[in-house]
Amino acid sequence: MAARRWWQTARRVADESGDPDTQVLVRAWDVVNGCYDGRPADQVVSLSNEVLPLLRGQATAATCGLLAGRAQAGLPPVWLTPAP
């Protein structure tokens, strides 16, 4: 899948930058998009767990994105929840 290659390239370049916020931001987008591109939730949560040590307790836009992605991965999408 072409998207996976783009995410791998983005992660590699972010890692090469040495900037933790950039590393978190790229992975946060990957986590959020993983919720929508059909990846299993456990795979998305696993990726987000790998990123947690990079947060270093800082409240940044990247941190918010990662935490939002984790929340999205942990809850079933509303449109897939069976009606009562």
Side-chain angles (χ1 to χ4, degrees):
M1 172 149 95
R4 292 296 330 138
R5 289 194 311 267
W6 282 110
W7 285 119
Q8 291 169 351
T9 299
R11 287 170 61 172
R12 180 182 50 78
V13 172
D15 290 345
E16 289 173 1
S17 78
D19 179 44
D21 201 43
T22 301
Q23 294 169 325
V24 172
L25 183 63
V26 167
R27 287 166 172 83
W29 273 103
D30 194 9
V31 167
V32 170
N33 284 300
C35 296
Y36 298 102
D37 70 7
R39 279 183 266 164
D42 60 336
Q43 182 182 0
V44 174
V45 171
S46 176
L47 171 61
S48 70
N49 287 338
E50 294 172 16
V51 184
L52 289 176
L54 296 173
L55 297 181
R56 301 181 319 192
Q58 297 177 343
T60 66
T63 301
C64 291
L66 178 67
L67 297 178
R70 288 176 59 87
Q72 291 172 28
L75 299 172
V78 173
W79 61 88
L80 294 180
T81 303

